[in-house]
Amino acid sequence: MKKVLLFIACISLLCACGGSSSKPTEDAQPKEESKTLPASSLILKGKHAKLFKLSGDTYNVNLVKVDNHWQVRIKMTIATNTPFEEIKNCENFERELVCPYGKLVNSSDVELESLDMNCSDWETLLQEDDEAELTTSGKTWSYKEMSYETAKEIFDKTVAVEISGLELKPLKKESIKSATESLYDDQDMQDLKDAAETAGKLLEAEKSLLDALF
């Protein structure tokens, strides 16, 4: 009887040890990740958004570690779509953007987090008269110093990206005034030239008349 009880006790002890042991999984460890989203999930908004388009069928969303905190970043290739000269009243605008900004969006079209966009890349494309493209990026604001858990949740829930503020800066009033004055100056010069030609013709006609009379 004692042997039976001892045997049962040993089995119970082994089961307890086996049940309490846990095997660590790699998924539990913080790690950088990347995923691709379809072009249809990228939304470009703004008065002059048609100047740009996504080059390719996809773009990347990345979960990365920066120093002691985590960020969600996007990386994409943008291209010229509509030439600057074809924008309505393009002469009234600078080849500069007001300030593009982005946000990560979930499946319910709710903003998860805002993005710090690299504005200079978009403005570089504005300087091109021919078709061109370049790679640009955006990132969650570093000052928030998000934990892995927070950034991971945002990364997992991101299904779309919206970039707004794609609007050209109005031409400065001084520049418009200068261009207008220049136009007037050219017109004045043309008027003087026309007047001189008319006076010359009158003198020739007068000379011919005097020659005929005398």
Side-chain angles (χ1 to χ4, degrees):
M1 185 65 179
K2 290 183 178 180
K3 290 182 178 181
V4 175
L5 293 175
L6 182 60
F7 179 72
I8 293 174
C10 290
I11 292 176
S12 300
L13 181 61
L14 289 173
C15 291
C17 292
S20 63
S21 63
S22 59
K23 186 178 180 179
T25 60
E26 293 182 358
D27 293 339
Q29 302 300 318
K31 63 179 181 180
E32 296 188 345
E33 298 182 52
S34 179
K35 65 181 179 181
T36 58
L37 294 180
S40 59
S41 68
L42 177 65
I43 305 166
L44 301 181
K45 300 179 69 175
K47 185 177 180 180
H48 301 110
K50 63 181 180 180
L51 283 166
F52 310 99
K53 65 180 179 180
L54 179 70
S55 177
D57 299 325
T58 61
Y59 60 98
N60 294 331
V61 179
N62 305 311
L63 173 65
V64 299
K65 184 177 182 181
V66 183
D67 297 328
N68 294 321
H69 61 275
W70 291 78
Q71 288 183 331
V72 179
R73 297 184 176 185
I74 62 170
K75 189 175 183 180
M76 63 184 68
T77 300
I78 52 173
T80 51
N81 186 37
T82 301
F84 177 82
E85 292 77 9
E86 294 184 14
I87 292 294
K88 184 179 180 180
N89 299 323
C90 65
E91 66 278 2
N92 295 330
F93 297 99
E94 302 274 4
R95 288 202 182 200
E96 298 179 16
L97 294 174
V98 175
C99 187
Y101 56 94
K103 62 181 181 181
L104 303 172
V105 181
N106 66 13
S107 58
S108 300
D109 292 329
V110 176
E111 179 182 346
L112 293 169
E113 190 60 58
S114 59
L115 294 173
D116 177 17
M117 301 299 300
N118 190 335
C119 180
S120 61
D121 290 338
W122 300 79
E123 291 187 344
T124 297
L125 278 182
L126 285 176
Q127 312 309 315
E128 302 292 337
D129 294 322
D130 299 322
E131 291 186 7
E133 63 180 40
L134 55 76
T135 300
T136 189
S137 61
K139 60 185 179 181
T140 51
W141 295 89
S142 57
Y143 74 85
K144 293 190 175 182
E145 298 187 350
M146 289 188 292
S147 65
Y148 169 76
E149 292 75 16
T150 300
K152 169 67 172 170
E153 183 178 8
I154 293 172
F155 171 81
D156 289 340
K157 291 183 177 180
T158 297
V159 299
V161 173
E162 182 178 301
I163 299 176
S164 305
L166 297 176
E167 183 175 341
L168 296 171
K169 290 182 178 179
L171 198 66
K172 296 178 180 178
K173 293 182 179 180
E174 292 78 5
S175 300
I176 296 176
K177 182 179 178 181
S178 177
T180 304
E181 289 176 348
S182 177
L183 178 62
Y184 286 154
D185 290 344
D186 292 342
Q187 187 63 50
D188 290 342
M189 291 298 295
Q190 185 62 44
D191 291 343
L192 288 173
K193 183 178 179 181
D194 293 342
E197 290 179 355
T198 301
K201 290 178 181 179
L202 289 174
L203 288 174
E204 289 181 3
E206 185 178 354
K207 183 176 180 299
S208 298
L209 180 59
L210 290 175
D211 290 343
L213 291 175
F214 299 103

